[in-house]
Amino acid sequence: MSGNAIRDTFFEECEELLEALVEGLAQMEEAPDDLQVVNAVFRAVHSIKGGAGAFALDRLVTFAHTFETVMDKVRDRDLSVDDRLMALFHRSGDMLSDLVAAARDETPLDPAAEGELIEALESYLGPASEEEEFSFDAVSLDLGGDTPASLPEIPLAKIADSAPDGAATGPASEKTYRIRFTPTRALYENGHEPLLLFDALAELGTLCVLLDLSGLPSFDAFDPQDSCLDWTLLLTTAEPETALDEVFEFVEGLCTLEITTAPPPAPTEAELPTPDLPQPAARPAPPAAESAAAPPPPKPEARGPKPTLRVDLDRVDRLINTVGELIINQAMISQRIEELDLPTVAHLTNELEAYKLLARDIQEGVMAIRAQPVKPLFQRMSRIVREASDATGKKARLVTVGDSTEVDKTVIERLADPLTHMIRNAVDHGLEHPERRLERGKEAQGTIRLSASHRSGSVFIEIADDGAGLDRAAILRKAREKGLVAPEVELTNPEIDNLLFLPGFSTANQVSNLSGRGVGMDVVKNAVQALGGRISITSIPEKGTTFTIVLPLTLAVMDGFVISVAKETMVVPIASILETIRPNARDTHVIGTSSEVVKIRGSYVPIVDVAANLGLDAGDADRGGSILLLVSTETQGLTALRVTGIHDQRQVVIKSLESNYAAIPGVSAATILGDGKIALILDPDELIKLSRLSEPEGTETKLMPEPGHV
Amino acid sequence: MTTKVLAIDDSRTIRNLLRVSLENAGFEVHSACDGQEGVDIFPEVDPDVVITDINMPNLDGFGVIDTLRSGPNRTNVPILVLTTESSDKLKSRARASGATGWIVKPFDDASLVSVLRRLTGHVS
C-alpha cells in the first residue's frame, strides 16, 4: 500500500468518522447524559486527530485536539451540556468536516476560519491548559495554547562506534556511567527483558556488564517468577545522560536504578563477563506456552466497521451491463425454445424458470453493490438546516426517518443539490418565524421531516415542514403577474401548488440570500425527472407543506409490460400501471370532436391513444375493441392508455435512447427484447402531456407549460 | 525468524500505517480493530509483541492489558501502548496496568521500529 493509498483511506475513514460524529451529536441532543454516545463522539474526533497527526495536517490536529479536549471534559462529567454548548459542538463538527475536506482536496481555507470556534471551545476549558505543566523547556515558552504535538524523541544514537582508541579515558567528551540495576518482579511481568535493555545501552558506547548472583536462593527455594538477579553496568559514552534515561524510560518504577558518573572502568576487575551477557535466567517461562490446553479461541467475530472492499465504479458498471445482457439473453433463449414448439417442454420450462430466477438474483445482487444508504446524504442536510436557520433567524430542527433506505449511488449523488435546495426552501419559505409560530400555538422551533422509504419498487423521499403551508393567493397573484396564468382562469388548489414547478417562478417576496439563488423548483423538478423520478407537492394551511419525490430503485433495469401498439412492440413501466381493462364499446364515449373517455366504475377517465400520439397508423380496427392501461401519473392524474395488446410482463434492461439515437417525446428509453428486436419504453406521463398539448383549442388546458392535477 | 506484531487500533488509518511501516521493517503484522478482537485473536496469533491503542470501542487499551496480564493465561509478551497523550499520568497508569512501553502518536517509523526492537530484540 503506497503512502497515497493510505492517505486516501484516511480520508475515507474520516468520512465515516464524521458521519458517526454527526450521528452522535444528534443522539446527544436527545440524551446528553448517555456516556456511550459522548464516548462515540469523543472517539470520532480523537481518531480524526490521530490520523491527521500521521499526515502532519497540523490545522486539523489543532482543531480536533481542542474539540476533543472539551468533549473529554463532558465525558468526565466536568462539564454539562446545554443548548449553547450543543450548538457549539454542531458548529465544530461542521468545521471539522470543512478542515478535512480542505486537507483532502488541498483547497485553501480561510486561515482564520476556525479561530473563533477554538476560542469558544477554549472558553470551556478554564484558564490554563493542563498539558502545559510538563513542558519542561528551559527555552522561551511558546505562546499559543495548542499542545505541542510532539514527536517522540527516542535517540537511537547509533554511534559509529569506533573502538575506544587506546586511552581508557577516551575523548574528553566521553564519560563513564556506573549503573546499578535491580529489577523487580513487575519488570518481567510487564514484558521487559534486561538483555534488550543492555543491548540498547551497548549501542550508546562501550558497555561492561557485571552480574550479581548473590540474591539467587538455593535451588529448592527458587521461584522462577521472582527476580533474583541484579547488575552493575559500566557504560562509557559520549552521549548525554538523558540518552541513558531514555533507555530506562519504560522500566522506571519497575526497578531500582542508580546512575552515577564513575571513573573510567578499570579493566582490572576480575572475571569481567563482558561479551557473555548473563543468561536471562530469571526470565520466567512464558506462560503462554503452558496454556496449550486452553480452550480454542472463540472465532473472532466481525467487530467495528464492517470490512469493505474498494472497487472502481467502472468495473461495477461493466458488471451491471453484462448482467443486463444476461437477462436479455435469458429472454431470448426462452423465446427461441417457445418457437421450437416442442411437444413436451414442461421440464425445460422449469429449468428456464430457475435460470430466470438466478439471473434476477444476480442482477439484484449486482444492483445492491451500487445501492447505498441515504444516511450520509440526510446527515449533510442537518447542517443545511442549521445554516439556514442561522441565516434566517428561524428555529428549525431536522428529523430524519428511514436513513438506512438504500438507493442507487448515482441517484444519491444527483439528489444532493435538489435536496439541499428544498431543505433551504423549507426553512426559508416553509417555516414561520418563532414569534409567529408561538402566536399560532406552535412550538417556536419548527420541524423539517426528511424521510426515505421503499414502496412498491420505488424510493419515496419526503421533505415535510410544519410551517404555514403555501400562500396560494400569493402564488396565484405572482403567476398572473408573470403571465403564467390567464387572469380569468380559475385554478384548483393542487393546480396552484404545482405552479411552483414552473420555470422562473419564485415566491419569495424579497429574494433572500439563502434560497433565492436563481434556482427555482423547476430545476429541482428537472433533476428529479432526469433520474426517472417524479416530484409532487401537497400543502395544508397552518400544517405545512410536503414535497414527495418518487424515484426508481435502479437506473438500469425495470419491470415492464410488453405491449403492442399498431404493429410495434413497446414496453410500459409496470410501476405506472394501475390496472388493465378491455372495455365494452358502450363504456367509451367520444366527447367533442376527438376526445374520448371511458367509464370506469361510474367515473369518466380520458383515453389517450398511444399510436396516434406517436404518429403510428393504428387503423380503425383498434377503436373501441382494444385494451386500455389505466395509469396514474404524478402530474396528469388518472388516464387510460389505449394499446393494441398485452404480451408479457418482464424485466427489461434500460438502454439510453439519447446516447444511442436521439430523444423522442413520450419515450423514456429503449430495450432489447428476447427476439433481439428493439422496443421503445414509453413514458406515460410525457405521453399524456403530449396528447393534452396536441388537443384542439377549447379543451381543458388551462396552463400552457403544464396542466395541474385533475 | 520473523517477529510477529499484533496491532490493535480502531482507526483503519493507523492500522494501515502500522502495517506498512512494520512490514517494511521486516515484522509480520496482524491487526485487530478493537480491544475485544485483539484479545480474541491473541492466542491464535501468538505475537512477540502487542501494540495497542487506548481509546477503542468494546474493550479499550487498558482492558486489553488487563486481560493479557491477568488470569491463568497471563502473558509476559511486551505490550506497547500507542497514545496521543503524553501525560505522565497516562504513562504511570499504563505502567501500573502492565504495559511495557508507550509511543506517542503521531509516530515516525524509525522511532517505532527502534522501540519495538528494544522490546523484542527484532533484527531487521
Side-chain angles (χ1 to χ4, degrees):
Chain A
M1 193 180 264
S2 75
N4 267 342
I6 299 182
R7 206 182 134 95
D8 287 351
T9 55
F10 165 62
F11 286 116
E12 229 178 85
E13 188 179 17
C14 275
E15 288 300 315
E16 286 162 24
L17 293 167
L18 286 168
E19 220 175 274
L21 174 65
V22 172
E23 194 181 342
L25 287 176
Q27 285 172 357
M28 264 178 81
E29 297 251 21
E30 310 296 323
D33 291 328
D34 188 334
L35 204 59
Q36 263 195 321
V37 173
V38 178
N39 249 325
V41 171
F42 174 85
R43 261 202 313 274
V45 181
H46 183 79
S47 291
I48 290 176
K49 177 177 110 173
F55 299 103
L57 302 168
D58 295 341
R59 263 180 91 175
L60 193 50
V61 172
T62 309
F63 184 75
H65 177 77
T66 316
F67 191 175
E68 173 198 281
T69 316
V70 179
M71 215 67 222
D72 196 29
K73 284 192 87 158
V74 174
R75 199 165 65 146
D76 292 347
R77 305 241 188 262
D78 279 353
L79 190 62
S80 62
V81 181
D82 55 9
D83 286 357
R84 215 181 102 219
L85 184 55
M86 206 57 233
L88 180 61
F89 283 155
H90 278 302
R91 283 173 60 212
S92 302
D94 294 345
M95 177 51 65
L96 203 59
S97 160
D98 287 348
L99 287 167
V100 167
R104 179 189 53 216
D105 308 335
E106 289 171 2
T107 46
L109 193 69
D110 177 6
E114 70 271 35
E116 183 210 340
L117 277 176
I118 290 185
E119 265 174 40
L121 286 168
E122 278 174 346
S123 71
Y124 284 92
L125 292 179
S129 179
E130 282 176 31
E131 276 128 307
E132 252 128 25
E133 281 172 26
F134 40 81
S135 55
F136 42 79
D137 42 352
V139 210
S140 69
L141 266 163
D142 200 280
L143 21 142
D146 52 354
T147 44
S150 57
L151 283 168
E153 288 174 303
I154 295 152
L156 235 243
K158 283 193 193 132
I159 311 176
D161 188 7
S162 55
D165 32 20
T169 33
S173 58
E174 276 200 356
K175 272 188 177 170
T176 298
Y177 297 94
R178 187 187 180 86
I179 304 157
R180 176 88 183 156
F181 174 60
T182 316
T184 63
R185 179 174 170 153
L187 180 133
Y188 298 104
E189 286 174 349
N190 269 16
H192 288 284
E193 168 54 63
L195 175 63
L196 296 169
L197 288 172
F198 303 158
D199 281 351
L201 284 176
E203 282 182 14
L204 297 176
T206 322
L207 185 71
C208 233
V209 181
L210 295 139
L211 172 63
D212 181 359
L213 289 167
S214 60
L216 204 62
S218 63
F219 188 74
D220 36 330
F222 178 69
D223 176 356
Q225 302 281 323
D226 257 347
S227 169
C228 315
L229 305 172
D230 46 314
W231 286 270
T232 302
L233 308 147
L234 294 167
L235 174 70
T236 306
T237 175
E239 295 290 318
E241 199 177 330
T242 50
L244 274 73
D245 295 340
E246 300 267 4
V247 170
F248 291 106
E249 184 193 0
F250 293 158
V251 293
E252 205 189 306
L254 300 172
C255 60
T256 321
L257 190 67
E258 288 164 39
I259 302 180
T260 47
T261 353
T268 46
E269 266 200 82
E271 353 140 89
L272 273 190
T274 321
D276 315 315
L277 287 172
Q279 289 303 306
R283 190 187 190 184
E290 298 157 14
S291 63
K299 241 190 177 156
E301 290 159 32
R303 274 199 193 77
K306 282 190 208 155
T308 52
L309 175 68
R310 289 186 69 197
V311 180
D312 228 30
L313 201 55
D314 281 353
R315 291 199 201 176
V316 176
D317 286 345
R318 228 183 303 150
L319 185 58
I320 288 177
N321 221 1
T322 316
V323 172
E325 303 295 332
L326 176 73
I327 288 169
I328 293 171
N329 184 255
Q330 171 261 319
M332 282 183 174
I333 293 175
S334 303
Q335 190 148 344
R336 291 278 182 276
I337 288 172
E338 223 166 275
E339 283 166 9
L340 287 178
D341 212 12
L342 298 172
T344 51
V345 288
H347 59 289
L348 197 57
T349 322
N350 283 347
E351 299 302 323
L352 268 179
E353 197 56 34
Y355 176 32
K356 190 168 153 186
L357 289 178
L358 279 176
R360 194 179 262 253
D361 275 359
I362 295 175
Q363 185 245 325
E364 271 171 13
V366 172
M367 295 316 297
I369 300 178
R370 279 191 61 97
Q372 295 190 320
V374 292
K375 194 173 176 179
L377 176 66
F378 276 18
Q379 282 190 346
R380 262 191 279 163
M381 294 305 138
S382 64
R383 177 175 188 174
I384 306 294
V385 169
R386 259 196 315 280
E387 288 175 349
S389 16
D390 281 353
T392 54
K394 294 178 184 177
K395 288 189 169 177
R397 69 188 185 120
L398 182 76
V399 175
T400 60
V401 179
D403 279 5
S404 54
T405 307
E406 293 198 331
V407 184
D408 187 274
K409 182 179 163 65
T410 309
V411 174
I412 289 184
E413 280 166 5
R414 291 208 241 147
L415 213 51
D417 282 347
L419 212 52
T420 305
H421 185 72
M422 290 168 76
I423 294 282
R424 278 206 190 106
N425 267 344
V427 178
D428 197 10
H429 304 315
L431 296 182
E432 315 92 323
H433 279 278
E435 314 83 59
R436 192 155 158 206
R437 287 182 65 90
L438 290 172
E439 279 169 27
R440 310 259 163 128
K442 294 183 183 176
E443 247 184 287
Q445 188 182 44
T447 303
I448 314 271
R449 195 170 177 277
L450 181 58
S451 62
S453 58
H454 281 163
R455 262 182 262 166
S456 59
S458 299
V459 181
F460 279 66
I461 293 177
E462 275 185 6
I463 303 103
D465 66 59
D466 63 348
L470 294 178
D471 183 351
R472 295 195 170 111
I475 293 172
L476 196 56
R477 197 168 57 237
K478 199 103 184 173
R480 290 208 163 112
E481 269 169 34
K482 297 200 171 196
L484 298 168
V485 179
E488 70 282 1
V489 174
E490 290 300 318
L491 297 182
T492 63
N493 282 345
E495 282 171 337
I496 296 173
D497 296 349
N498 275 293
L499 289 171
L500 288 186
F501 294 117
L502 293 185
F505 192 93
S506 173
T507 45
N509 284 326
Q510 70 274 29
V511 175
S512 66
N513 64 354
L514 190 65
S515 43
R517 282 177 188 167
V519 194
M521 285 303 294
D522 59 317
V523 177
V524 171
K525 185 178 184 176
N526 287 343
V528 171
Q529 281 182 340
L531 291 169
R534 317 242 178 268
I535 183 167
S536 62
I537 182 173
T538 55
S539 179
I540 302 169
E542 294 309 320
K543 295 275 183 207
T545 307
T546 302
F547 287 91
T548 307
I549 297 175
V550 186
L551 294 164
L553 268 184
T554 143
L555 303 177
V557 191
M558 65 160 201
D559 283 306
F561 257 11
V562 180
I563 56 157
S564 59
V565 175
K567 289 185 182 76
E568 302 292 326
T569 308
M570 298 192 179
V571 176
V572 181
I574 231 162
S576 56
I577 299 174
L578 295 180
E579 62 180 289
T580 61
I581 304 156
R582 188 182 288 279
N584 292 324
R586 62 180 144 78
D587 283 340
T588 60
H589 306 276
V590 177
I591 298 174
T593 49
S594 61
S595 293
E596 225 185 324
V597 294
V598 58
K599 190 176 174 189
I600 299 168
R601 290 183 285 275
S603 57
Y604 289 96
V605 175
I607 294 177
V608 169
D609 191 281
V610 175
N613 276 287
L614 291 174
L616 301 169
D617 180 18
D620 280 344
D622 267 2
R623 284 250 156 162
S626 59
I627 290 170
L628 296 179
L629 307 177
L630 197 61
V631 300
S632 168
T633 61
E634 295 295 328
T635 56
Q636 307 298 323
L638 213 56
T639 308
L641 294 178
R642 183 200 296 287
V643 301
T644 313
I646 301 175
H647 300 293
D648 194 7
Q649 172 192 331
R650 73 166 69 141
Q651 204 165 35
V652 297
V653 181
I654 301 170
K655 301 274 178 192
S656 162
L657 210 53
E658 279 95 330
S659 57
N660 294 312
Y661 174 63
I664 302 173
V667 176
S668 62
T671 188
I672 303 169
L673 294 177
D675 56 7
K677 278 190 194 142
I678 290 171
L680 299 180
I681 301 173
L682 298 181
D683 180 343
D685 208 32
E686 278 292 317
L687 200 66
I688 296 163
K689 237 186 265 180
L690 270 177
S691 76
R692 302 267 156 99
L693 289 178
S694 63
E695 271 173 24
E697 276 184 45
T699 53
E700 292 168 41
T701 314
K702 292 163 187 165
L703 302 172
M704 279 316 284
E706 182 179 326
H709 272 280
V710 177
Chain B
M1 214 185 77
T2 53
T3 309
K4 270 193 277 186
V5 180
L6 173 58
I8 312 173
D9 200 309
D10 60 331
S11 158
R12 195 158 68 233
T13 306
I14 300 294
R15 287 200 303 272
N16 282 337
L17 285 166
L18 285 172
R19 175 175 294 276
V20 171
S21 40
L22 295 182
E23 281 180 355
N24 284 342
F27 290 92
E28 178 182 325
V29 182
H30 299 258
S31 309
C33 60
D34 64 38
Q36 191 57 51
E37 187 187 349
V39 168
D40 286 348
I41 67 172
F42 179 87
E44 204 180 318
V45 174
D46 189 20
D48 300 297
V49 59
V50 174
I51 302 180
T52 181
D53 185 24
I54 287 298
N55 247 300
M56 289 184 292
N58 295 327
L59 184 67
D60 70 5
F62 291 120
V64 169
I65 302 172
D66 282 348
T67 313
L68 296 182
R69 292 273 193 256
S70 62
N73 291 334
R74 71 154 279 141
T75 164
N76 284 348
V77 71
I79 304 175
L80 184 68
V81 170
L82 260 186
T83 160
T84 48
E85 328 293 318
S86 54
S87 76
D88 286 345
K89 206 172 87 190
L90 193 115
K91 284 177 196 175
S92 55
R93 190 176 162 198
R95 184 159 39 220
S97 65
T100 316
W102 47 87
I103 190 160
V104 180
K105 284 189 270 192
F107 51 85
D108 64 283
D109 290 7
S111 41
L112 174 69
V113 170
S114 86
V115 167
L116 282 180
R117 208 152 51 101
R118 205 193 299 170
L119 296 186
T120 63
H122 169 83
V123 198
S124 12

